[in-house]
Amino acid sequence: MCSEVLGVEGSEAELHHVRRYGAKRATSPILPLCPIHHRSNDGLHGLGVKGFERKYSITCEELLERVNQKLGKGNEE
Ligand SMILES: [Zn+2]
Ligand SMILES: [Zn+2]
């Protein structure tokens, strides 16, 4: 899908706070997305999380993992 998601260059990315289902605390991981995949009609907010996940065949959690791998970070808490 988008290079911004899979290889974050820093400048254009918008930060989306991922809501974890069933999470007890307000720890929301941050997912960098370009404006298109974040806010447009084909983006996370345009389609809704479920629609987005269906359209791109990837969940927000998987996306997060891939971004973290790309950035060379684990989940630091
Ligand atoms: Zn994008
Ligand atoms: Zn967002």
Side-chain angles (χ1 to χ4, degrees), residues 1-5 33-38:
M1 38 190 289
C2 91
S3 60
E4 289 86 356
V5 169
L33 291 168
C34 74
I36 305 264
H37 285 111
H38 187 212

Side-chain angles (χ1 to χ4, degrees), residues 20-41:
R20 282 195 161 139
Y21 304 111
K24 284 178 188 167
R25 299 174 67 194
T27 50
S28 46
I30 290 167
L31 181 63
L33 291 168
C34 74
I36 305 264
H37 285 111
H38 187 212
R39 283 184 287 131
S40 79
N41 289 339

Side-chain angles (χ1 to χ4, degrees), residues 42-74:
D42 285 333
L44 196 46
H45 292 285
L47 296 167
V49 173
K50 290 223 170 106
F52 182 89
E53 291 180 344
R54 205 177 308 129
K55 181 177 173 77
Y56 297 106
S57 303
I58 189 167
T59 66
C60 288
E61 293 290 333
E62 286 167 345
L63 216 45
L64 258 181
E65 269 176 41
R66 282 166 73 170
V67 169
N68 284 334
Q69 277 169 12
K70 206 76 181 175
L71 296 175
K73 283 193 250 173

